């Protein structure tokens, strides 16, 4: 009930104008908000029944507006290539928490495992951190993990803590891979 307290705009009607309708003068010039008319239920129904989208159009304009593809020939702002050249969308700009875009690309371009077990995008990223190929087995995973922990651990490097970030990545990658179905 939008217009509570306003009378119906139809001449001679004493009912409350509860339903908004566009103004007689059109949408306005854009500077000021248009003054809407308010009608009672009976008169807003009559107003809506008399509305004709095609009023004032020529037969050619009506035919053009009723085509099955009407409106589809223009690019929307989200997909317009203005300022982008022919590069297309930058997939790195999109959040892809399920790795749907990357996994589809890798599936067609990256070799699969010889045992046929699938790798997720997270599995592949973890294998990259460890420097292992996609078809590495569980023993190769453990061997490479041990090697990298010895390389980056501060106790093995005379207390040098400059490799702690890389050590954290190696540990996280190993923890993720050892629970992955491909290494079960």
């Amino acid at each position: 009930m939008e217009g509570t307290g306003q009378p119906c705009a139809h001449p001679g009607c004493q009912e409350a104008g509860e339903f908004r309708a566009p103004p007689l003068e059109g949408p306005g010039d854009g500077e000021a908000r248009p003054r809407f008319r308010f009608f009672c239920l009976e008169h807003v129904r009559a107003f809506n029944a008399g509305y004709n989208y095609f009023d004032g159009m020529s037969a050619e304009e009506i035919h053009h507006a009723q085509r099955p593809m009407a409106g589809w020939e223009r690019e929307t702002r989200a997909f317009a290539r203005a300022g982008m050249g022919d590069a297309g969308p930058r997939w790195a700009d999109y959040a892809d928490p399920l790795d749907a875009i990357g996994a589809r690309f890798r599936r067609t371009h990256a070799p699969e495992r010889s045992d046929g077990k699938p790798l997720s995008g997270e599995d592949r990223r973890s294998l990259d951190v460890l420097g292992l190929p996609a078809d590495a087995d569980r023993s190769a995973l453990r061997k490479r993990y041990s090697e990298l922990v010895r390389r980056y651990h501060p106790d093995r490097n005379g207390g040098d803590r400059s490799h702690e970030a890389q050590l954290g990545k190696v540990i996280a990658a190993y923890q993720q891979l050892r629970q992955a179905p491909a290494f079960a």
Side-chain angles (χ1 to χ4, degrees), residues 80-158:
R81 293 191 177 267
M84 288 178 54
D86 291 329
R90 291 183 37 195
W91 296 114
D93 292 345
Y94 294 94
D96 189 15
L98 299 177
D99 197 36
I101 297 168
R104 181 175 179 195
F105 177 76
R106 280 189 298 277
R107 196 172 323 139
T108 58
H109 298 313
E112 288 296 321
R113 292 176 53 89
S114 57
D115 59 6
K117 293 181 179 177
L119 290 173
S120 70
E122 186 65 29
D123 293 344
R124 292 183 186 281
R125 283 190 290 276
S126 295
L127 285 169
D128 287 342
V129 168
L130 297 176
L132 289 172
D135 62 347
D137 61 353
R138 194 167 179 84
S139 65
L141 175 67
R142 272 183 272 166
K143 183 178 175 184
R144 181 66 175 162
Y145 171 70
S146 297
E147 176 185 318
L148 292 174
V149 166
R150 281 193 300 273
R151 181 185 303 168
Y152 295 129
H153 200 281
D155 291 346
R156 300 285 288 207
N157 292 311

Side-chain angles (χ1 to χ4, degrees), residues 8-183:
C8 179
H10 192 271
C13 182
Q14 300 301 318
E15 295 287 320
E18 301 178 39
F19 303 95
R20 187 169 68 173
L24 286 171
E25 60 271 6
D29 57 6
E31 290 184 25
R33 290 182 62 180
R35 292 173 306 183
F36 289 97
R37 297 178 289 167
F38 290 89
F39 290 117
C40 64
L41 181 60
E42 178 185 346
H43 291 117
V44 82
R45 284 182 175 161
F47 173 83
N48 288 339
Y51 179 75
N52 183 0
Y53 177 79
F54 302 107
D55 191 29
M57 289 186 176
S58 69
E60 185 178 315
E61 290 171 326
I62 293 172
H63 177 72
H64 185 74
Q66 289 181 330
R67 298 182 347 270
M69 298 300 288
W72 288 98
E73 64 273 359
R74 291 186 322 265
E75 288 182 328
T76 61
R77 205 171 67 212
F79 295 103
R81 293 191 177 267
M84 288 178 54
D86 291 329
R90 291 183 37 195
W91 296 114
D93 292 345
Y94 294 94
D96 189 15
L98 299 177
D99 197 36
I101 297 168
R104 181 175 179 195
F105 177 76
R106 280 189 298 277
R107 196 172 323 139
T108 58
H109 298 313
E112 288 296 321
R113 292 176 53 89
S114 57
D115 59 6
K117 293 181 179 177
L119 290 173
S120 70
E122 186 65 29
D123 293 344
R124 292 183 186 281
R125 283 190 290 276
S126 295
L127 285 169
D128 287 342
V129 168
L130 297 176
L132 289 172
D135 62 347
D137 61 353
R138 194 167 179 84
S139 65
L141 175 67
R142 272 183 272 166
K143 183 178 175 184
R144 181 66 175 162
Y145 171 70
S146 297
E147 176 185 318
L148 292 174
V149 166
R150 281 193 300 273
R151 181 185 303 168
Y152 295 129
H153 200 281
D155 291 346
R156 300 285 288 207
N157 292 311
D160 181 14
R161 300 182 82 117
S162 63
H163 300 290
E164 276 188 340
Q166 187 63 27
L167 177 64
K169 289 179 186 177
V170 167
I171 293 170
Y174 177 73
Q175 293 298 327
Q176 195 277 324
L177 286 173
R178 72 183 188 95
Q179 297 171 358
F183 294 95

